[in-house]
Amino acid sequence: MAALNSIACRKRIVKSQSFPDFSPTTRLSHKTSSNLLKLNPKNRRNWVIQSVTEDKELAPKKNSHSHEPKKLLFPNGSKTLEASSSEVGGGHGDGGDGHDDVEKLSSRAINASIVLGFGTLAVSKLLTIDHDYWHGWTLYEVLRYVPQHNWIAYEQALKANPVIAKMAISGIVYSIGDWIAQCYEGKPLFDFDRTRMFRSGLVGFTLHGSLSHYYYQFCEALFPSDDWWVVPAKVIFDQTVWAAIWNSIYYVVLGFLRFESSANIYKELKATFWPMLTAGWKLWPFAHVITYGVIPIEQRLLWVDCVELIWVTILSTYSNEKSEARITEPTMDADSNSSNNPPEE
């Protein structure tokens, strides 16, 4: 009886104790944890995995319409995806590429027609110098007298109109020199820039031929003696005063023909003046020893123009590299600024 009374007292004490009121979530977790303790290790691991999966499914999804710009990294490592050639061509698939290919083929066809046409005309004029009276000649006689008679015709043209003859020679040489320069820069044989070649030939025709004609006459009047020191003095004067003047004229006139501003022309001339002057000292002093020591005054421009094929290649390469680098610098800066500052949505 005493034992029954003690058990009843303990039940009353337990019921009289106050426990905190659990929320439904707390009771659920308490019940779950108590049930988890009763599971064996394998069932407990499966239950944990299932509960984590349910929590992920119940987690709220983030709003996809975020105002923050998305930073995507593409396979090439950049944050911007470059447009493909089809998109640049207008978004018509292969239509843009086909149009570009047609333009390139047409441009190459025009260039090939110009080169082959002028080449055929020049060769035919040289080979048919005696066409009026070569009837009955053997092939050996034709090949023997053609060079001699062409030289005689050139001397007659120099006597008739020396300035025009020298202008024509310089124009042809400067055009061919620029073509060689473009091929040296990596362009295909018939994929040259016609406008650039025309500009260089125009400078050679209008300025170099006429100015060189009067310069060699002035140089002879400046150094009239026949002493041993005259040839070195002419070479030094040519490679200091005249070279500085002509290089400056070439760059300034080409800049104006490219419709560049005076500030850009001055900047280009300032950057290339000294390098081009010193580069000429590696070639022209050796050539001008022959120019002023061996070649007669009327034939000097022809000899100089033959050497000019090498020099115009250097001049044209320097001039157009500086111009193209200056044009591409703002484009590269704009591209880098746009990549560093993506547009906000």
Side-chain angles (χ1 to χ4, degrees), residues 98-111 190-191:
H99 183 67
D100 294 339
D101 292 340
V102 171
E103 288 184 352
K104 289 181 180 179
L105 289 175
S106 62
S107 178
R108 290 177 183 177
I110 294 172
N111 293 341
F190 295 122
D191 200 15

Side-chain angles (χ1 to χ4, degrees), residues 185-207:
E185 293 168 9
K187 293 184 178 180
L189 190 63
F190 295 122
D191 200 15
F192 57 88
D193 187 353
R194 295 187 299 273
T195 306
R196 169 180 160 179
M197 188 177 69
F198 174 76
R199 285 195 299 259
S200 183
L202 184 63
V203 173
F205 177 77
T206 57
L207 296 175

Side-chain angles (χ1 to χ4, degrees), residues 189-236:
L189 190 63
F190 295 122
D191 200 15
F192 57 88
D193 187 353
R194 295 187 299 273
T195 306
R196 169 180 160 179
M197 188 177 69
F198 174 76
R199 285 195 299 259
S200 183
L202 184 63
V203 173
F205 177 77
T206 57
L207 296 175
H208 184 261
S210 57
L211 292 178
S212 296
H213 170 76
Y214 294 111
Y215 161 71
Y216 289 125
Q217 291 182 348
F218 170 76
C219 192
E220 287 297 314
L222 186 63
F223 302 98
S225 178
D226 293 333
D227 294 334
W228 65 268
W229 56 269
V230 173
V231 172
K234 290 178 180 179
V235 173
I236 293 172

Side-chain angles (χ1 to χ4, degrees), residues 160-204:
N161 200 336
V163 178
I164 296 298
K166 294 176 182 179
M167 288 171 64
I169 293 173
S170 293
I172 295 171
V173 167
Y174 269 67
S175 299
I176 297 175
D178 185 80
W179 182 28
I180 296 174
Q182 294 189 44
C183 295
Y184 176 77
E185 293 168 9
K187 293 184 178 180
L189 190 63
F190 295 122
D191 200 15
F192 57 88
D193 187 353
R194 295 187 299 273
T195 306
R196 169 180 160 179
M197 188 177 69
F198 174 76
R199 285 195 299 259
S200 183
L202 184 63
V203 173

